[in-house]
Amino acid sequence: MFAYIVRRLAYGAVTVLGVLLLLFVLFFAIADPDDIARQAIGERASAEVYEQWKVNHGYDKPLVINAEHGVLEPGRYTDTLLFEHYRSMLTFDFGRSDADDVPIAERLRQGALPSLSLTLPLFALSLVVGVFFALLVAFFRDTYVDFAVLVMCMLAMSVASLIYIIAGQYLIGLTLKWFPISGFDADPALVIRFLALPIIIGVIASFGGDVRLYRTVFIEETNKDYVRTARAKGCGDARVMVRHVLRNALIPILTSVVLAIPFLFVGSLLFENFFGIPGLGAITVEAINGNDFSTLRTMVYISALLFIVAQILTDISYTLADPRVRLS
Amino acid sequence: MSRALVELQNLKVTFPTPQGRVAVVDDVSISLEEGKVLALVGESGCGKSMTALALMRLVPKPGRIEDGSGIRFNDIDVPTLSVPEMRALRGNEMSMIFQDSMTSLNPVVRVGDQVVEAIRLHERISYDAARKRVLELFERVGIPDPEQRFSTYPHLLSGGLKQRVMISMAVATRPRLLIADEPTTALDVTVQAQILELLRELKRELGTTILLITHDLAVVNELADHVVVMYAGKVVEQAERRTLLTSARHPYTEGLLGAIPQRGERGKGLNEIEGVVPPPDEWPAGCRFSSRCNQLFAPCRDNAPPEVSFGEGHVAWCHALDKGAGS
């Protein structure tokens, strides 16, 4: 088990290095530092201003090889943008924003809490609601209840989440006036009012797909022989579902769930933007709009990192949920 | 003369098909005496397992036990029981060993806990007390190193050990009736013999009545007191074991017996019955065996076969025998 985790972490580390290389190609080789400087200060500036800006933001070094140093000097390779890129990312020393010189780490700290306060409850609630309804329809399979819920799911899946957001804001926020349409407040007493609407809409938007997926998993499990054995032992329907089917169905469900975890931290781009929540998703969108390359680079890197971590966690949680993949 | 523990009267189980509901178990009447072993014999798809599942009211959806089917167990009218009453019966008074122990145990629950569950569903005892019982049971059914096996998962056990776990689960509550659905089919020959021996011992010790479902006449010879032969959802012949194995009358039973390899006939071809059991929606109108019978004559295709009795409980349903008895 320990060896397995070590091996899995090693694979993860290699993936991270690859991600960083790809990021470097995208952000430095394709968008070259001169372009970035021009974007930041505008077209009509003197060459010195560009140079000064590049020095301030660490774009002044050569890309891969520094010809000022001799072939055998380490500076030839370390005093470059590539090396600096790897160093800053791997040590989480993200530097300052290209747009407004705010330290990026500061931004992340500010954005993390609003993001998590939206995505964590949304994630937990949609999982519970999805599994609950899926168990219910699996229990009533091949009846009208099952059919009705399935049709509902198909309809729900066919509508884009943008429609849910706009319709939800109009109906619940504007017409019924139950909750504010958008906004955020760090005060825990107030934040619930602001988060209620995005959470409700988020649960509804993911309902159709989740229920359908989980239902398929549950029904596949209920047709298995061990379920018949459990019933022959005298298990009631509810007990069969919860004690026997749920535990087995957890294995495929885990995959879809754990892979969603990175989005919890990075936040939902769409939701944060529409509901005015100053989280990491909003920061990302802002960075794209403002040509803030250093912030965007950091956000992409963090998403990739979290994705890799989530995959490792999925693999490890498999071994915990399913004794057949428990490794000796 | 012991009394009947199980009595099936005109049992009918139907499944929907595009042509309407088809009876996969049709008008089956069987009586099983307390303390005896009754073997239900027939090819795959002849309704043996469905008969047993109907007895436990575990017929899978969309199958249905039709109204008018009589199922009596221990003088209880099974079809009228409420769901909780039925649950109290299952695994407690009547339990079942399934054919494929590979898939019949829950893969993510420790095997010991699966047996503990079987006990604690019916008896209010602590986990530790149940665990102790399970360890004794494991010892009894011949699982080596019970302490360690208790905590393993099914995939780590051999087929024989898994079947022993299944058996210990089935007998954990000392049921009056044990239904063994092809208990040895998925096992290799040496393990088969051990499992049969175990079933025989348990029957002797616990006095359990056994409904044995098998297509293997060698198993019948080992274990059964009474034999019921089924074909295409119908009972075609029934008799005491010795009578049935030595002087079977129905052409189907004769065919089954003829298909057993004999020591004295090495090198000769086996007399197998041509073809396979047709699917339920293609069963012939008259005698259901008529499409494969080698003694076919005029009334077979159109009329249901008459009951012909040979005394001492030996009964067969066949036009050819009726003609023979009448002349």
Side-chain angles (χ1 to χ4, degrees):
Chain A
M1 183 71 190
F2 180 71
Y4 175 73
I5 293 175
V6 169
R7 200 171 65 223
R8 204 59 198 77
L9 286 174
Y11 287 148
V14 174
T15 317
V16 169
L17 294 180
V19 164
L20 283 176
L21 186 65
L22 208 62
L23 264 184
F24 180 79
V25 172
L26 283 173
F27 279 86
F28 291 92
I30 294 176
D32 94 300
D34 288 320
D35 289 337
I36 297 175
R38 242 193 314 281
Q39 297 270 15
I41 31 186
E43 296 287 338
R44 292 156 187 270
S46 64
E48 292 92 78
V49 176
Y50 286 134
E51 284 313 311
Q52 190 53 46
W53 189 90
K54 276 162 72 179
V55 172
N56 286 347
H57 291 87
Y59 287 114
D60 55 330
K61 295 169 183 169
L63 279 180
V64 184
I65 289 169
N66 191 335
E68 286 171 25
H69 295 272
V71 179
L72 293 175
E73 282 172 0
R76 189 178 173 88
Y77 307 101
T78 58
D79 203 10
T80 61
L81 285 179
L82 179 67
F83 184 81
E84 191 53 28
H85 169 68
Y86 269 90
R87 187 201 61 75
S88 65
M89 289 296 172
L90 291 176
T91 55
F92 297 101
D93 172 17
F94 300 125
R96 286 167 180 277
S97 155
D98 284 352
D100 53 13
D101 284 337
V102 176
I104 295 173
E106 181 66 22
R107 275 265 165 82
L108 294 178
R109 251 194 305 283
Q110 285 171 356
L113 196 68
S115 274
L116 284 179
S117 63
L118 168 65
T119 48
L120 266 188
L122 176 56
F123 169 75
L125 209 63
S126 37
L127 181 65
V128 171
V129 169
V131 166
F132 177 78
F133 276 93
L135 271 178
L136 207 69
V137 287
F139 188 79
F140 287 109
R141 67 187 171 283
D142 302 327
T143 65
Y144 288 108
V145 179
D146 180 27
F147 183 72
V149 176
L150 263 189
V151 170
M152 252 171 60
C153 286
M154 289 304 288
L155 285 177
M157 283 170 73
S158 318
V159 178
S161 46
L162 213 60
I163 305 289
Y164 285 112
I165 294 175
I166 295 167
Q169 282 181 324
Y170 181 80
L171 193 74
I172 302 177
L174 206 67
T175 312
L176 297 170
K177 293 193 175 21
W178 286 353
F179 303 108
I181 293 177
S182 79
F184 190 78
D185 196 307
D187 184 351
L190 291 171
V191 77
I192 299 166
R193 284 185 53 76
F194 284 110
L195 290 177
L197 188 57
I199 288 175
I200 292 171
I201 293 174
V203 169
I204 294 173
S206 63
F207 179 82
D210 283 2
V211 170
R212 251 178 59 89
L213 174 71
Y214 301 157
R215 172 188 176 274
T216 314
V217 174
F218 286 136
I219 287 187
E220 198 178 306
E221 287 299 324
T222 44
N223 289 330
K224 293 203 171 152
D225 287 351
Y226 70 84
V227 172
R228 193 182 53 189
T229 310
R231 295 170 63 86
K233 273 198 273 193
C235 280
D237 288 325
R239 194 186 169 86
V240 167
M241 276 294 179
V242 176
R243 273 264 314 182
H244 293 273
V245 172
L246 190 58
R247 277 187 72 172
N248 281 280
L250 222 55
I251 298 157
I253 289 177
L254 259 177
T255 322
S256 77
V257 165
V258 183
L259 286 181
I261 287 176
F263 302 104
L264 297 184
F265 291 92
V266 183
S268 162
L269 302 182
L270 207 60
F271 273 68
E272 289 187 5
N273 229 24
F274 267 83
F275 290 99
I277 294 162
L280 299 175
I283 292 174
T284 310
V285 173
E286 212 175 286
I288 294 171
N289 288 335
N291 287 314
D292 186 350
F293 286 87
S294 58
T295 306
L296 189 58
R297 203 157 58 221
T298 308
M299 298 310 294
V300 175
Y301 169 61
I302 289 178
S303 316
L305 201 61
L306 288 170
F307 195 77
I308 293 163
V309 170
Q311 277 190 321
I312 295 174
L313 286 180
T314 315
D315 288 351
I316 293 173
S317 58
Y318 270 148
T319 65
L320 298 178
D322 189 348
R324 284 164 296 184
V325 287
R326 205 161 288 172
L327 303 126
S328 47
Chain B
M1 183 71 191
S2 49
R3 70 194 188 93
L5 179 69
V6 178
E7 206 142 9
L8 301 179
Q9 275 293 328
N10 309 103
L11 176 68
K12 193 169 185 175
V13 178
T14 61
F15 274 81
T17 64
Q19 289 83 42
R21 294 193 83 88
V22 166
V24 295
V25 175
D26 196 1
D27 219 6
V28 166
S29 302
I30 294 171
S31 146
L32 172 49
E33 282 173 30
E34 180 129 42
K36 297 282 176 143
V37 179
L38 180 121
L40 261 183
V41 182
E43 287 165 283
S44 304
C46 65
K48 316 171 294 233
S49 294
M50 211 46 78
T51 305
L53 287 172
L55 176 53
M56 291 190 90
R57 281 201 7 210
L58 283 177
V59 172
K61 283 179 186 174
R64 185 168 77 199
I65 301 170
E66 291 296 318
D67 294 343
S69 301
I71 306 173
R72 290 190 81 77
F73 171 78
N74 196 21
D75 286 329
I76 302 166
D77 186 26
V78 173
T80 59
L81 288 180
S82 70
V83 171
E85 284 169 335
M86 193 63 225
R87 211 185 298 150
L89 215 58
R90 275 188 211 129
N92 191 18
E93 299 271 307
M94 47 164 91
S95 57
M96 190 155 175
I97 301 168
F98 292 100
Q99 175 176 164
D100 194 352
S101 59
M102 193 77 99
T103 56
S104 293
L105 292 170
N106 188 330
V108 303
V109 179
R110 301 189 302 174
V111 291
D113 286 332
Q114 300 191 39
V115 185
V116 164
E117 187 186 23
I119 297 174
R120 294 188 70 202
L121 277 168
H122 302 287
E123 290 173 41
R124 309 194 90 182
I125 61 172
S126 70
Y127 178 85
D128 288 328
R131 183 189 146 89
K132 244 187 92 209
R133 281 255 301 272
V134 172
L135 292 176
E136 288 165 16
L137 270 167
F138 277 9
E139 187 92 55
R140 175 62 201 88
V141 298
I143 296 173
D145 202 357
E147 282 276 355
Q148 193 227 320
R149 292 289 193 277
F150 185 94
S151 319
T152 52
Y153 292 90
H155 70 284
L156 295 171
L157 296 177
S158 67
L161 280 184
K162 271 191 285 236
Q163 196 56 286
R164 285 175 202 268
V165 171
M166 272 304 280
I167 292 172
S168 69
M169 189 190 293
V171 300
T173 53
R174 294 179 162 257
R176 303 179 75 124
L177 173 70
L178 182 64
I179 301 171
D181 187 359
E182 311 250 6
T184 58
T185 305
L187 305 172
D188 65 60
V189 185
T190 49
V191 182
Q192 276 185 16
Q194 293 166 8
I195 295 291
L196 283 180
E197 182 55 35
L198 175 62
L199 284 175
R200 205 183 353 243
E201 286 170 20
L202 288 172
K203 180 205 154 199
R204 206 168 44 228
E205 278 171 39
L206 308 172
T208 313
T209 310
I210 299 180
L211 176 60
L212 177 72
I213 299 170
T214 184
H215 61 254
D216 187 345
L217 288 165
V219 173
V220 171
N221 191 29
E222 291 281 327
L223 221 53
D225 297 307
H226 199 83
V227 186
V228 172
V229 183
M230 283 184 75
Y231 182 83
K234 288 267 192 196
V235 174
V236 295
E237 182 164 18
Q238 60 179 51
E240 295 299 313
R241 176 196 52 177
R242 192 171 297 275
T243 317
L244 190 111
L245 292 178
T246 53
S247 48
R249 305 300 290 266
H250 196 282
Y252 179 58
T253 318
E254 285 176 345
L256 286 180
L257 290 167
I260 304 174
Q262 299 290 336
R263 196 187 288 255
E265 296 175 10
R266 284 185 83 142
K268 292 184 194 166
L270 279 177
N271 302 312
E272 56 185 289
I273 309 171
E274 292 284 323
V276 292
V277 187
D281 51 348
E282 290 170 24
W283 287 345
C287 173
R288 292 192 175 164
F289 189 54
S290 60
S291 60
R292 294 167 75 193
C293 187
N294 57 9
Q295 298 180 26
L296 189 66
F297 73 112
C300 294
R301 289 197 194 278
D302 304 315
N303 301 323
E307 178 178 324
V308 186
S309 179
F310 302 95
E312 288 176 5
H314 184 183
V315 186
W317 283 261
C318 180
H319 287 291
L321 295 175
D322 187 38
K323 183 183 64 176
S327 62

